[in-house]
């Protein structure tokens, strides 16, 4: 579960399936290439389900598996901690930390 984006993707999908474009808009700052790579990794590890609908234009939806939902539940307290301490976290000079 490493990386900057996987937690945001999990959080974004907690309320239900989304198409690729919806996911990209919901996770600001992520490039299309990185989103594709993250989604593939998360599908391979069993966190996501990719549903492909054979229609024109092609439609693909991503949703959390039960495994993904369980990880979201485990990460919820960490998210709450981050929200409680956001002001302090934002002033940390990350570029000066070695």
């Amino acid at each position: 579960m490493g990386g900057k984006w996987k937690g945001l993707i999990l959080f974004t999908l907690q309320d239900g399936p989304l198409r690729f474009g919806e996911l990209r808009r919901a996770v600001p700052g992520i490039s299309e290439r990185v989103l594709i790579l993250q989604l593939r990794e998360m599908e391979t590890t069993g966190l996501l389900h990719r549903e492909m609908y054979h229609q024109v234009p092609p439609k693909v939806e991503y949703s959390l598996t039960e495994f993904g939902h369980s990880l979201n539940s485990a990460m919820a307290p960490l998210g709450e901690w981050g929200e409680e301490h956001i002001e302090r976290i934002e002033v940390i000079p990350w570029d000066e930390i070695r």
Side-chain angles (χ1 to χ4, degrees):
M1 228 342 254
K4 167 180 177 177
W5 302 107
K6 288 185 181 91
L8 291 171
I9 294 167
L10 278 173
F11 180 77
T12 301
L13 288 170
Q14 72 183 351
D15 294 327
L18 292 174
R19 294 178 69 173
F20 181 85
E22 295 171 321
L23 261 174
R24 185 151 182 231
R25 285 187 295 277
V27 182
I30 193 168
S31 71
E32 185 172 324
R33 180 180 181 280
V34 170
L35 180 57
I36 290 168
L37 292 172
Q38 298 294 292
L39 292 171
R40 285 183 186 159
E41 285 180 23
M42 294 171 76
E43 183 183 6
T44 300
T45 58
L47 294 170
L48 296 183
H49 172 71
R50 181 178 184 263
E51 184 72 33
M52 187 170 199
Y53 297 91
H54 299 286
Q55 64 186 45
V56 177
K59 177 181 174 183
V60 177
E61 284 186 340
Y62 295 91
S63 60
L64 293 180
T65 62
E66 286 302 315
F67 187 48
H69 279 290
S70 68
L71 180 56
N72 243 0
S73 296
M75 290 178 54
L78 181 60
E80 291 169 10
W81 179 88
E83 288 175 8
E84 289 175 23
H85 297 92
I86 191 68
E87 290 178 11
R88 183 172 179 178
I89 293 168
E90 287 178 333
V91 298
I92 295 172
W94 295 106
D95 54 339
E96 295 175 19
I97 299 174
R98 293 180 188 191

